[in-house]
Structures are given as C-alpha cells and as structure tokens.
Amino acid sequence: MNKDLHQAKKGKNDEFYTQLADIENELEHYEQHFKGKVVYCNCDDPRQSNFFHYFSHNFERLGLKKLVSSCYKNQSPDLFSRHDSEQAVWLEYTGDKNLNRLPDREEIEVKKLKSDGDFRSDECIELLKQADIVATNPPFSLFREYVVQLMEYEKKFLIIGNMNAITYKEIFPLIKDNKMWLGHGFNAGNAYFALPDGADKEYASGVYDKTTGLVKFRNVSWFTNLDHKKRHEELILYKRYSPEEYPTYDNYDAINVDKTAEIPMDWDGAMGVPISFLDKYNPEQFEIIKFRKGNDERDLSVNGKCPYFRIVIKNKGVGHGH
C-alpha cells in the first residue's frame, strides 16, 4: 500500500496544468498547420485542460475537423481531488452547432472509456491513430515513452517537455535527424504551471510561488515536428576563432564554445555548444553531429574537466580552411 501511495504522490508531482496564455503564445506560430485536421489532446482532463479550451474556442478560426481529448483517471481519488470521477472519459467536439461561436456543453460529446485512459491503453491508441496532430503537456516522467509512441504512429505533435529530455538516448537522435525540434518557446524560457488540488508543493526542478499558486520551471520547452518560422532564422555570428578562447577537447577533434552567441563565424570544424543552442538551431545553417561523448565514449573534456552536456555541431556555411 505504501508503495502505491508513493507512486500516486510521484504521479501528482508529474501533473501540471498549462497556462492558457502560454498555449496561445505558442500556437500562433503554427496556425497554418491545423486546417482540416483532427487534434487529439491525450493527457488532458477536459474539465481542467487549457489545451481543450484553446482548441475548442478556436475551432472555427483554425478550421479544425475534430477535437478529441482524453485523460488518465487516477485510482486514488483521495490523493487527487480533481480525478474524482468513477470512470475515465474521452470528449469529442466537432464545432459550433448553435452559431453562438462557443463550445457549449451540449455540443461536446462525452464518451466512456473501458480502461483508465492511460495514453498507452488500446482505447487511447485507437483514438491516436485517427488523429493528425497531438497537442498536450504529457507527464514529464513518461516523456521518452510518450515520444516513442508518437513516432511509432507517425503523428505530428506539439508537446511540452523538460529541456533535459534532449539528453535521452530515445530523443536526441530524433533531434539530430530533424524528426523533432524545439518549438517557439516560453517567454524568456520560463514556464508557469498550475497544480492539481492537494498537490505536494515540493518540486525538484520547479519553484512554487505562493501568491500566484503556480510552479515556475526554467528548463521547459515545447517540442514539435511542425515547422515554424523561428526554425529558419539565421543565427548572426560576430566572433572570430582564437585558440586561447576556444580550446580543443582532450578526447574529440572539436573546439569548446561556452555560449551559443559566441560561436565563431570563421570556424569550419566541429564545435561543442550548450544544449540551449537548440533554441537557435536552424538546420539550413548548422548540422548536428553528435552528443556529449568523445572518441573514448566518455564525456567531452577540456584539460580533464567536463563542461555540462555539449552538442557537437558544424556550421554548414563556412568554407574550408581557417
């Protein structure tokens, strides 16, 4: 029993409600992708989800074909007051019928699920198969499994995850091969989430703010495979290479660059940059070569010291010879 409680508590620390403003700010960069599409929010309690709210209220403007939402029903109602329904449900909305331009209760079909609504369940996979685009904030602890499923079913997606997810062996190759990239991003890289009632206010990587009742995460990003303008903006480089400022790694033929803004404009070889580089990554300008490890399969190091995770890249536009 204790183990179950612990699991449930962990689950609760994994549950954050995305702010409507954050969803609006991100989605304005993708509106061209949604016309005639079926959108599925598969980690969203429709009574709480701002994803469902956003897509249902912008249904006609985006030209959606259908909106579907489902969520995991927790088995410990005393621990999760918002999961107090006896049964997991999924919702379907196909647009405004009474011409008041609002999604009304009678226009939203509520259907029962046989199982608990977990995104990995057979029922939810059936809903996933019918969707064109998946948009949600999946549980951070299940992020790799979640993305693997999206890839398996070849879905377009726009989801929120921890920036460190790019260090996972299941995720980095997708970024390297341009099958997935960072979205437009949160304002100044800060994301604020609401919590379920009764949730533990202790968060390993987030800071709880009493006045707003929100948890602030600094290291959170949007991940997507929908194209957007920012991804094609050229990073303007202004620095020149010097061996003093850009030391070479002990265990790989590349130079170390501590800040993305300081990538030397005249270096045509490999260079290690911080993972925050991905926020500025333009696949026409740069190529991603590898992640983190040198030739000896150990972390890249300079004079025996390892800088925090590095992505090794090359500038496609620099001629050969320095």
Side-chain angles (χ1 to χ4, degrees), residues 180-232:
M180 169 176 180
W181 43 86
L182 293 193
H184 205 268
F186 287 92
N187 192 15
N190 294 324
Y192 295 85
F193 297 110
L195 297 172
D197 301 338
D200 198 343
K201 305 293 189 266
E202 299 301 310
Y203 289 95
S205 54
V207 181
Y208 181 68
D209 180 341
K210 277 195 196 71
T211 47
T212 59
L214 301 175
V215 176
K216 173 184 175 182
F217 282 90
R218 281 187 53 224
N219 216 7
V220 167
S221 196
W222 291 87
F223 291 85
T224 188
N225 56 359
L226 295 168
D227 207 13
H228 57 86
K229 268 205 191 84
K230 183 180 169 186
R231 189 169 170 253
H232 302 285

Side-chain angles (χ1 to χ4, degrees), residues 15-18 20 41 43-54 56-57 67-77 80-92 105 108-111 113 116-117 194-197:
E15 190 171 347
F16 303 104
Y17 299 116
T18 314
L20 185 59
C41 309
C43 295
D44 292 80
D45 183 338
R47 295 161 302 178
Q48 304 295 342
S49 167
N50 282 320
F51 280 95
F52 188 82
H53 182 97
Y54 173 84
S56 58
H57 282 79
L67 170 63
V68 176
S69 174
S70 65
C71 88
Y72 179 64
K73 177 185 107 53
N74 206 287
Q75 307 305 323
S76 310
F80 297 76
S81 59
R82 288 189 179 179
H83 288 287
D84 48 8
S85 62
E86 282 302 295
Q87 187 156 25
V89 295
W90 63 283
L91 270 65
E92 185 173 76
R105 195 160 275 215
I108 298 169
E109 269 194 84
V110 180
K111 306 183 181 195
L113 288 166
D116 59 8
L195 297 172
D197 301 338

Side-chain angles (χ1 to χ4, degrees), residues 61-275:
R61 194 173 63 78
L62 292 170
L64 295 183
K65 182 176 169 187
K66 185 159 76 172
L67 170 63
V68 176
S69 174
S70 65
C71 88
Y72 179 64
K73 177 185 107 53
N74 206 287
Q75 307 305 323
S76 310
D78 55 320
L79 282 175
F80 297 76
S81 59
R82 288 189 179 179
H83 288 287
D84 48 8
S85 62
E86 282 302 295
Q87 187 156 25
V89 295
W90 63 283
L91 270 65
E92 185 173 76
Y93 179 64
T94 51
D96 184 32
K97 308 278 184 283
N98 60 10
L99 307 180
N100 68 351
R101 298 187 160 247
L102 290 172
D104 300 309
R105 195 160 275 215
E106 55 275 15
E107 295 169 339
I108 298 169
E109 269 194 84
V110 180
K111 306 183 181 195
K112 291 179 175 173
L113 288 166
K114 293 187 190 76
S115 62
D116 59 8
D118 188 305
F119 69 85
R120 296 162 292 189
S121 68
D122 293 346
E123 289 173 298
C124 290
I125 287 172
E126 280 309 310
L127 294 173
L128 177 68
K129 285 178 185 171
Q130 298 159 35
D132 299 302
I133 302 174
V134 177
T136 192
N137 180 0
F140 284 4
S141 65
L142 297 174
F143 191 79
R144 40 182 114 205
E145 222 176 314
Y146 187 83
V147 171
V148 166
Q149 186 190 73
L150 290 176
M151 289 297 164
E152 187 186 335
Y153 291 97
E154 298 179 356
K155 294 302 164 188
K156 293 287 183 193
F157 58 87
L158 179 60
I159 59 176
I160 295 171
N162 193 300
M163 192 64 177
N164 281 333
I166 69 145
T167 64
Y168 302 160
K169 64 179 190 301
E170 298 87 346
I171 304 292
F172 185 77
L174 299 173
I175 289 175
K176 180 176 178 287
D177 297 341
N178 286 308
K179 292 180 176 162
M180 169 176 180
W181 43 86
L182 293 193
H184 205 268
F186 287 92
N187 192 15
N190 294 324
Y192 295 85
F193 297 110
L195 297 172
D197 301 338
D200 198 343
K201 305 293 189 266
E202 299 301 310
Y203 289 95
S205 54
V207 181
Y208 181 68
D209 180 341
K210 277 195 196 71
T211 47
T212 59
L214 301 175
V215 176
K216 173 184 175 182
F217 282 90
R218 281 187 53 224
N219 216 7
V220 167
S221 196
W222 291 87
F223 291 85
T224 188
N225 56 359
L226 295 168
D227 207 13
H228 57 86
K229 268 205 191 84
K230 183 180 169 186
R231 189 169 170 253
H232 302 285
E233 286 169 7
E234 186 139 339
L235 178 62
I236 306 299
L237 307 174
Y238 68 96
K239 293 197 73 153
R240 295 197 172 274
Y241 167 75
S242 73
E244 300 75 46
E245 198 174 347
Y246 301 101
T248 305
Y249 293 115
D250 309 327
N251 53 348
Y252 191 73
D253 184 14
I255 59 170
N256 181 59
V257 180
D258 282 325
K259 290 188 179 134
T260 300
E262 292 173 0
I263 291 172
M265 61 192 199
D266 53 352
W267 180 259
D268 73 342
M271 43 198 161
V273 292
I275 60 176

